């Protein structure tokens, strides 16, 4: 057996090398501490409280920011150098109240050599600094090296720092943990390493925001799944009363970019998230989805029990929020979202609000068919663009002809059935033995005219 060899993968070899270096570093640090306690016991406190040396040397900047290992080894040869403060000055735009315009103003930023190298993925440079005595959890400038490594998605540096004893739950000056800063899809491995090292998944930062809130708001499905596997609680609320589901729906940025947040919302709902949980302003996840114009996300919430009628603190229903979103998304087709809300029990909007979708004839048709009689309202007529009226003259003319006129018996029958089914209209229509054309008509299919 002694003559046999075992194959090691590159990751296994790297882990063994890190473990060996860590043990050697621990031995040297313990020996140094014993030596100091024997030779200089009276000066130890003075050394610990001595201010750090501040550096603005361009040679130091170039070595650290470029990852030049030879220069780093030459410049940082002791503990004092490894723990110096690196100070940078850059010009940034700032508003001048006295002059009344934006001006370039110098801004000073302080950081540490280890933080710089960890943020840029210079693992060899970071290892050298650690072996020279760089403080792993020093928060020069507000963040520790582990914060920067996670924020910049540098898993090798995260692994290195954790191997040498960096605290997985180290707090920034704002109270954020490294897990809160895993905000990019590429940072998933960083999050895994932190959790394996004991990071507290439910630890809240400023505003009672957890890592789950952050990942949900950014649409990071893989991060959300990882946190849920490690015990993340979906019911935790921020200081504003927002759950992670609220954050996911609020983070969606329009009809064409919501699929990531929809996937996150599905994960959270499957884990038991409450689709009706509203924040302090009574703004529910459905309000957020409708305000962003995310029809598929809104339908997902409705299928899981979200209330289509509930008003928020300003008295706006989800349908009101969807109408307001129309103005911000001119290329959107909102009729699907409007129909879904009405099928799940939303009440027709007040006639004066129809002007918000006057230039969306298909959406306007859906809303007009929610009334037993087309209401009289000049506001939406005046809002229609002349070129759009010409293009869809058949629809707009039919709508005008039916103002305050009796609707067909077929439409009145549809209204009666929908009123009977209430918020169960869409589910019931799928189960009733109806021809597809009749089912579509019941669910406010767009026909291009009002009769």
């Amino acid at each position: 057996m002694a003559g046999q060899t075992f194959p090691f993968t590159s990751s296994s070899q790297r882990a063994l090398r890190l473990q060996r270096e860590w043990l050697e570093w621990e031995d040297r640090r313990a020996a140094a501490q014993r030596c100091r306690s024997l030779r200089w016991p009276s000066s130890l406190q003075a050394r610990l409280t001595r201010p750090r040396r501040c550096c603005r040397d361009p040679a130091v900047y170039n070595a650290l920011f470029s990852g030049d290992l030879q220069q780093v080894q030459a410049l940082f040869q002791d503990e004092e150098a490894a723990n110096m403060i690196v100070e940078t000055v850059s010009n940034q735009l700032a508003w001048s109240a006295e002059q009344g315009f934006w001006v370039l103003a110098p801004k000073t930023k302080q950081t540490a050599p280890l933080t710089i190298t960890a943020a840029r993925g210079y693992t060899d440079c970071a290892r050298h600094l650690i072996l020279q005595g760089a403080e792993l959890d020093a928060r020069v400038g507000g963040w520790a090296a582990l914060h920067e490594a996670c924020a910049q998605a540098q898993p090798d540096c995260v692994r290195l720092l954790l191997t040498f004893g960096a605290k997985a739950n180290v707090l920034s000056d704002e109270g954020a943990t490294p897990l809160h800063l895993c905000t990019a899809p590429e940072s998933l491995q960083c999050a895994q390493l932190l959790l394996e090292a004991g990071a507290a998944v439910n630890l809240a930062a400023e505003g009672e925001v957890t890592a789950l809130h952050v990942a949900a708001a950014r649409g990071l499905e893989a991060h959300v799944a990882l946190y849920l596997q490690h015990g993340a609680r979906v019911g935790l609320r921020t200081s504003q009363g927002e759950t992670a589901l609220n954050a996911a729906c609020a983070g969606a940025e329009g009809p064409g970019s919501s699929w990531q947040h929809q996937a996150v919302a599905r994960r959270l709902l499957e884990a038991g998230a409450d689709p009706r949980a509203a924040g302090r302003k009574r703004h529910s996840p459905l309000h957020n989805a409708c305000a962003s114009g995310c029809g598929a996300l809104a339908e997902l919430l409705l299928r899981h029990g979200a209330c289509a009628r509930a008003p928020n603190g300003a008295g706006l229903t989800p349908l009101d929020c969807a109408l307001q979103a129309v103005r911000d998304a001119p290329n959107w087709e909102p009729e699907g979202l409007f129909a879904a809300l009405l099928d799940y029990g939303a009440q027709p909007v007040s006639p004066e609000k129809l002007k918000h979708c006057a230039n969306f004839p298909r959406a306007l048709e859906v809303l007009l068919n929610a009334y037993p009689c087309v209401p009289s309202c000049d506001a939406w007529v005046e809002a229609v663009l002349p070129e759009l009226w010409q293009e869809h003259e058949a629809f707009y003319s039919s709508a005008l002809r039916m103002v305050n006129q009796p609707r067909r018996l077929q439409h009145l029958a549809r209204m009666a059935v929908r009123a009977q089914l209430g918020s169960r209209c869409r589910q019931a229509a799928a189960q009733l033995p109806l021809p597809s054309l009749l089912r579509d008509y019941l669910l406010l299919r767009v026909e291009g005219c009002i009769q």
Side-chain angles (χ1 to χ4, degrees), residues 429-443:
Q431 298 174 5
L432 290 173
L434 299 174
S436 58
L437 289 177
L438 186 56
R439 181 182 298 109
D440 291 343
Y441 181 77
L442 178 63
L443 299 178

Side-chain angles (χ1 to χ4, degrees), residues 14-250:
R14 182 170 62 249
L16 289 171
R17 186 179 68 252
L18 286 174
Q19 182 70 9
R20 185 187 68 249
E21 291 176 347
W22 177 77
L23 291 173
E24 293 173 350
W25 174 75
E26 279 287 315
D27 291 341
R28 287 198 300 272
R29 186 175 67 168
Q33 289 175 344
R34 288 194 299 271
C35 181
R36 284 195 295 269
S37 63
L38 292 173
R39 297 175 57 186
W40 304 292
S42 60
S43 62
L44 179 59
Q45 186 63 31
R47 173 189 168 278
L48 291 175
T49 58
R50 185 174 57 198
R52 292 169 179 256
R53 186 174 61 177
C54 190
C55 175
R56 291 186 179 180
D57 189 341
V60 174
Y61 297 166
N62 293 336
L64 293 172
F65 284 96
S66 66
D68 189 331
L69 180 59
Q70 291 184 346
Q71 286 284 17
V72 169
Q73 290 172 335
L75 292 169
F76 298 91
Q77 298 184 0
D78 54 36
E79 185 175 345
E80 183 181 5
N83 287 297
M84 70 170 58
I85 293 176
V86 179
E87 193 170 84
T88 60
V89 180
S90 60
N91 289 324
Q92 297 186 3
L93 284 174
W95 177 256
S96 174
E98 295 180 357
Q99 302 180 42
F101 52 82
W102 293 90
V103 297
L104 284 175
K107 183 176 182 180
T108 302
K109 180 181 179 181
Q110 293 184 337
T111 185
L114 182 59
T115 303
I116 295 172
T117 55
R120 285 156 181 78
Y122 301 144
T123 311
D124 291 337
C125 294
R127 182 185 295 107
H128 172 76
L129 292 168
I130 294 172
L131 295 176
Q132 296 306 311
E135 296 180 19
L136 295 169
D137 300 317
R139 297 179 302 180
V140 180
W143 281 11
L146 197 55
H147 288 109
E148 282 284 3
C150 291
Q152 301 301 324
Q154 302 291 352
D156 288 340
C157 284
V158 170
R159 182 183 292 106
L160 175 73
L161 292 166
L162 292 172
T163 300
F164 278 96
K167 297 177 182 178
N169 291 314
V170 60
L171 298 179
S172 70
D173 286 354
E174 298 83 16
T177 68
L179 203 60
H180 284 95
L181 300 176
C182 295
T183 57
E186 299 79 15
S187 66
L188 179 62
Q189 189 177 357
C190 298
Q192 291 174 324
L193 292 168
L194 289 169
L195 291 169
E196 291 170 1
V201 72
N202 290 312
L203 191 63
E206 184 178 2
E208 299 303 310
V209 176
T210 67
L212 187 63
H213 285 100
V214 175
R218 293 179 176 266
L220 301 176
E221 182 189 5
H223 287 67
V224 168
L226 176 67
Y227 299 159
L228 292 174
Q229 291 172 3
H230 283 79
R233 295 162 56 190
V234 296
L236 293 179
R237 294 175 179 263
T238 67
S239 58
Q240 297 300 315
E242 303 288 322
T243 65
L245 184 59
N246 290 89
C249 296

